[in-house]
Amino acid sequence: MSDSLAATDRSRLRRAHARGAFDRETVNAILDAQPLCSVGYVMDGKPYVTPTLQWREGDHVYWHGSSASRALRAGNDAEVCLSVSILDGFVLARSGFHHSVNSRSVTLFGTAFKVEDPEEKLAKLIRFVDGLFPGRYGTLRPDHAQDLKATTVLGMKIAEGAAKVRTGGPGDEEEDYALPIWAGVIPVTTVIGTPEPDARNLPGVELPDHVRDFRLG
C-alpha cells in the first residue's frame, strides 16, 4: 500500500495548492476524527448527496443504511464521491474577499462495493459501533436476522482523493494591514454534552464508561 493517494485530474487542487495533502496519515486522521460524511451518487442521470456516518478500516472506508435506500442501491458497483469536513474556525479579514475558514476536509473518489457476506457485514457493523463506543456492542441485544437483512453496508478503497487543510489567520493585501479594521479568527470546536438518559431506562441501569468517556477523534 502506497503512503500517498493518487493525485489525479479530479483529485488535484486547482487553487491553494499548499493546502492540499495526499498522504494517508493526513487523510486517515481526518476520516477518524469526524464520522459524519456526505456521499454523492448518480441516480437516473442526476446527482444526489446524502449524509451518513462513515468509519475507516485500514485502507477502506465504509458506510451503511437501509437496504431499501435508492442511493445505496445505486452506489453498489458504481462511481461515488465521499466527503468529510471539519470546521475549525471563521477567519475574518480586512476585506470580504479574504474572509475564509479554518477547516480540515477529505474528498474521496472510487467505486463502491456492497459487503455481501452476512458474517463480514456483521463484523463491519460491530466495528462501526465499537469504534465510536468501545465495548458497547457486547452489551447489546444480539441483532436479529431481519436487522441485518434490513441493513446495507457499502465500502470503498481509499485510493483516489485528497485532503485540504487551512490553519492560521487571514492573508490580507499588504496595504490593508494599515486599515483600522479588526481581523482574526473565531475558533470553532465540537463540544460533547452531558449524556441524557432515555426516560424508559430501567431503574438501576448505570451510565457505562463508553458513554461517560465518549470523545470524537
Side-chain angles (χ1 to χ4, degrees):
M1 180 176 64
S2 170
D3 291 335
S4 298
L5 276 61
T8 64
D9 185 62
R10 62 179 175 178
S11 68
R12 68 181 179 86
L13 275 69
R14 264 60 175 180
R15 297 182 63 255
H17 303 109
R19 298 179 189 173
F22 295 89
D23 63 286
R24 288 186 182 275
E25 183 177 1
T26 299
V27 169
N28 291 348
I30 296 171
L31 292 174
D32 294 345
Q34 175 56 268
L36 184 64
C37 72
S38 295
V39 183
Y41 309 89
V42 175
M43 292 186 286
D44 300 324
K46 298 179 181 180
Y48 292 82
V49 176
T50 61
T52 187
L53 296 182
Q54 59 80 25
W55 68 100
R56 183 181 66 85
E57 296 184 31
D59 63 347
H60 283 75
V61 63
Y62 296 90
W63 62 101
H64 80 295
S66 168
S67 295
S69 167
R70 290 195 311 137
L72 292 185
R73 291 201 300 268
N76 185 28
D77 291 328
E79 287 281 316
V80 301
C81 176
L82 183 147
S83 181
V84 168
S85 299
I86 305 171
L87 178 63
D88 293 319
F90 292 98
V91 180
L92 282 65
R94 293 165 181 83
S95 68
F97 179 77
H98 287 298
H99 277 59
S100 187
V101 292
N102 284 340
S103 63
R104 292 163 285 158
S105 65
V106 166
T107 299
L108 300 174
F109 305 97
T111 301
F113 61 87
K114 183 179 178 180
V115 178
E116 298 281 6
D117 180 75
E119 292 186 5
E120 183 183 5
K121 180 165 69 171
L122 177 58
K124 298 300 182 190
L125 294 172
I126 292 174
R127 170 66 180 81
F128 168 52
V129 173
D130 281 349
L132 286 171
F133 319 106
R136 181 168 180 81
Y137 200 90
T139 70
L140 304 178
R141 181 266 288 165
D143 285 309
H144 298 315
Q146 183 58 36
D147 295 336
L148 297 176
K149 184 178 180 181
T151 304
T152 291
V153 174
L154 293 185
M156 181 173 66
K157 188 172 184 179
I158 304 171
E160 181 185 2
K164 187 175 181 180
V165 179
R166 190 201 190 281
T167 61
D172 276 308
E173 305 294 334
E174 190 58 39
E175 60 269 23
D176 289 346
Y177 287 100
L179 298 173
I181 300 170
W182 189 94
V185 177
I186 302 175
V188 175
T189 58
T190 298
V191 177
I192 305 301
T194 302
E196 301 174 358
D198 183 9
R200 295 187 64 175
N201 281 350
L202 296 179
V205 173
E206 297 183 356
L207 186 72
D209 290 342
H210 59 254
V211 175
R212 181 183 297 108
D213 301 332
F214 177 75
R215 298 290 184 275
L216 278 176

